[in-house]
Amino acid sequence: MSTVRTVDVSSGTRDPHETKPDPARNRAPRRTWRQALRRDWQLYSLAILPLLFFAIFRYLPMIGNVIAFRKFEPGGSVLGEEWVGLRYVRMFLNDPTFWQVFTNTLVLGALTLLFCFPMPIVLALLINEVRHRRLKRFVQSVSYLPHFLSIVVVAGLVVELLSGDGPVNQILRVAGDDPITFMQQPEWFRTIYVSSEMWQTVGWGTILYLAALTTIDDQLYEAARIDGAGRWRQTWHVTLPGIRPTAVVLLILNIGAFMAVGFEKVLLLYNPLTYPTADVISTYLYRMGVVSNNFSYATAIGLFEALIGLTLVLSANLISRRTVGTSLW
Amino acid sequence: MDRTRGYRVFQGVNAVILTGVVIVTLYPFLNVVARSLSDENFIRSGQVNLIPRGFTLTTYEYVISDPTFWTNYRNTVVYTVVATLIAMFMTTCYAYVLSKRHLKGRTFLIGIAVFTMFFSGGIIPNYVLITSLGLKDSLWAIVLPNAISVFNLLIMKAFFEGLPVELEEAAAIDGMSTYGILLRIVLPLSKAVIATMVLFYAVAFWNSWFSAFLYMSQSDLFPVTVFLRNLIAGATGASSVGADAMNMTVAANIKAVTMVLTILPILGIYPFVQRYFVTGVTLGAVKG
């Protein structure tokens, strides 16, 4: 029911002159909603369940964010009991822990962007230089592998490798150093987080760049060679510009994910001892909301985080459209 | 091609770097396999690297004979199968609708899906929703909220858009209904993308843990990932900082086996399917 109404609402709000002329139906006369429904009702019927899914599991929670401004009682109304205005916003702005987790989020996000965004480009360029086909495919296949692991397994591997009897401490012992309890040291958390993130994502990240590399016209390289460009100059003037659109799109997506630093991984890897550097906004609001039942307070923090994320991705997209002419939409 | 000396040096350096990448990538896998096959005493004294020391299969026997592990492993299989089937049904339906360029309201329908990639309700409203829908402690808490991945949806839509329109038009002229066209013309032509999507969803559901962790309170409902998480948390939580070494190595032993068993199905199919994954991702990127 509600989905059909959603479709109808769009007909009311949308000016028919706004719809762009689609080349595929240039000659077809513009249809009214009644005609469209009569002709394509079977297609629309296929969309009902998916629309219900989006309405309930994606848009309802967005509306549910109003409990950031209302007092929510567990067991009471889903949308809260009474308006309290910006009380919860003021609360987290005055909360020292919030500022700590905010800083941690920014630092982890920045480090992830700094290390995990450029590495796939470098690796793709290196793999691309391998002339031996089988070897090339082998390196690729191996580097994708960690991407298919559950985050739980990755966390498990990290803990194993860094444990007191793990390989890293074995090396330290051989070198004559004392073993380090990595998982309990706040000063190690960022290194552990970023390097395990790199381990898991770098290979998978090369896929799109390698695909983009194959689309670069060989004639460009030939022209560059005739102009006397060596290997380095060819890479600089042909290869890198060739993958720039891909890089920009991925950069925008990465910036969009900036605030949502690996919630699940932090949750799996941190513990109260490493909170000073490990606790991020999403883990803090998880503890506040789900563990301590401060639903409204946690929602206010979550909404703040989501809005920053949205702003980041919108501005990154805008800037890139203005400056390099590539954008997501 | 270029036979300059500098380039040959570069090729050598490149080979060394890439060998390093391969070793670093594979080492954790090989180490955990070696640990899973080793005697706990050798692990405890830090002697297990790539080769199992004090080879033993008793840890495997121990873990497999643990009834909780078995139940959780079976749960993972069931959750993965059910969730993948439902997700495939939903995604295929919507992607097919979105691929019809002539459809009135198409931009709006696409917009509804794409917007959710950039803004979401957040953890707490989702938690409140699932709780108040009464989905806690049921399979549906895992399946329903993840029934459509917008990323997969866009890949599938791009694929459908690439199919020849004439085939469908001909079938429509022959009096076939939209459902008939989808089932008998489009789907048989889409085996490649369907296989890719099934893999994407199956791997994602197999690997997922957080929904179950959040919404399931009984250990016999857990998937194996939550079982593993609890093993790891038991050894890293602050409470165990001063825990006795004995306890931790036993856990290390068992953890290794559980990890190997969790990864095993993925490692088993990986060599055969990874090129599908690659095609899928590039397809989505080029056209989506």
Side-chain angles (χ1 to χ4, degrees), chain A residues 178-251:
Chain A
D178 289 329
I180 301 173
T181 49
F182 289 99
M183 301 311 294
Q184 270 101 48
Q185 311 286 338
E187 63 268 32
W188 276 102
F189 187 84
R190 287 169 182 160
T191 317
I192 295 170
Y193 178 88
V194 174
S195 41
S196 67
E197 192 72 10
M198 259 168 65
W199 180 77
Q200 195 177 15
T201 58
V202 72
W204 189 247
T206 61
I207 289 185
L208 293 177
Y209 293 112
L210 285 168
L213 285 172
T214 58
T215 61
I216 298 175
D217 196 343
D218 271 338
Q219 290 181 346
L220 288 174
Y221 287 107
E222 214 167 296
R225 260 202 304 278
I226 290 167
D227 288 345
R231 271 272 157 186
W232 282 112
R233 310 217 81 195
Q234 286 174 37
T235 305
W236 189 252
H237 292 293
V238 181
T239 314
L240 285 180
I243 57 175
R244 195 174 64 181
T246 313
V248 170
V249 167
L250 290 178
L251 183 63

Side-chain angles (χ1 to χ4, degrees), chain A residues 53-54 56-58 61, chain B residues 83 86-87 90 126-127 129-131 133 135 138-150 201 205 211 215:
Chain A
F53 159 80
F54 280 114
I56 297 175
F57 293 105
R58 292 291 178 270
Chain B
I86 291 177
M90 300 280 279
N126 272 304
Y127 181 82
L129 174 74
I130 300 294
T131 315
L133 286 176
L135 297 179
S138 84
L139 158 72
W140 306 113
I142 298 176
V143 174
L144 295 181
N146 302 305
I148 294 180
S149 138
V150 178
Y201 275 123
F205 284 117
S211 312
Y215 300 124

Side-chain angles (χ1 to χ4, degrees), chain A residues 31 39-40 42 44-45 53 58-59 62 126 129 141 148 150-151 165-166 170 199 208 211 264 286 299, chain B residues 7 14 24 35 43 46 49 97 102 104 112 119 121 124 126 144-145 178-179 207 209 213 270 274 282 285:
Chain A
R31 286 190 184 81
R39 180 173 185 264
D40 290 318
Q42 288 190 325
Y44 287 117
S45 72
F53 159 80
R58 292 291 178 270
Y59 286 90
M62 287 183 203
L126 293 181
E129 292 296 330
S141 306
F148 297 98
S150 172
I151 201 86
D165 48 39
Q170 287 175 37
W199 180 77
L208 293 177
E264 293 190 14
Y286 162 78
T299 306
Chain B
Y7 187 61
N14 192 15
V24 168
R35 280 173 170 239
I43 302 179
N49 256 314
V97 176
H102 73 267
K104 208 172 164 64
I112 283 182
F119 188 74
I124 305 300
N126 272 304
L144 295 181
T178 305
Y179 304 138
N207 282 338
W209 71 287
F213 173 73
Y270 179 72
Q274 56 111 350
T282 36

Side-chain angles (χ1 to χ4, degrees), chain B residues 238-254:
Chain B
S239 57
S240 70
V241 173
D244 52 316
M246 177 68 187
N247 226 336
M248 287 191 60
T249 32
V250 173
N253 211 348
I254 294 168

